[in-house]
Amino acid sequence: MTTSGKFLHDRSILLLLAINSVLLVVGVLLVLARLDGGKGSGYFIQYRANVGIGEFKTGSSVDMSSFIFFTIITFALSIFISVRSYQERRQVAITTLMLTSLLILLAIIVSDALLVLR
């Protein structure tokens, strides 16, 4: 059986892929639900705590959609890395997918925090 065949038959891997897929869909839908294309540059995209009392940088909806691209690229790269590393070490592949879950969850939290400030 090929590496990808063994990869897709591992229950731990399938569970983590399902969790990451759900997090990806939730993250993309939450950002898309709150974006307004006609808003212009009314979105806070950065918070700088070291500049005075607290400085917010504004940007457009294209800048906020970078969270969508980040989660998609993170998801795709984690699958690529975990498939490649599965034949050598199964635990590295599982750790990669677990850290991807954490990373996508943090991206959801940060994007939601910035979109609430709008």
Side-chain angles (χ1 to χ4, degrees):
M1 194 179 296
T2 63
T3 303
S4 62
K6 291 178 186 176
F7 180 78
L8 292 175
H9 284 96
D10 192 340
R11 289 185 184 186
S12 302
I13 298 288
L14 286 177
L15 176 67
L16 288 169
L17 285 175
I19 290 171
N20 288 345
S21 299
V22 168
L23 285 174
L24 174 73
V25 170
V26 166
V28 167
L29 290 178
L30 282 176
V31 172
L32 284 178
R34 291 194 178 178
L35 283 182
D36 184 16
K39 180 79 173 166
S41 63
Y43 294 100
F44 293 124
I45 58 169
Q46 292 180 8
Y47 173 71
R48 304 287 178 145
N50 59 354
V51 182
I53 297 173
E55 181 71 23
F56 289 101
K57 303 288 184 189
T58 59
S60 65
S61 60
V62 175
D63 295 327
M64 282 306 294
S65 66
S66 65
F67 281 104
I68 295 172
F69 300 128
F70 174 75
T71 55
I72 292 171
I73 290 171
T74 303
F75 180 72
L77 284 176
S78 72
I79 291 175
F80 176 74
I81 291 170
S82 63
V83 167
R84 297 281 298 219
S85 65
Y86 185 78
Q87 67 187 15
E88 297 295 324
R89 293 203 170 236
R90 178 180 175 265
Q91 296 302 319
V92 172
I94 290 175
T95 304
T96 302
L97 292 174
M98 290 173 114
L99 290 174
T100 302
S101 300
L102 177 66
L103 193 58
I104 292 175
L105 185 63
L106 288 174
I108 291 171
I109 291 170
V110 169
S111 65
D112 188 52
L114 287 173
L115 284 169
V116 165
L117 292 174
R118 180 176 75 124

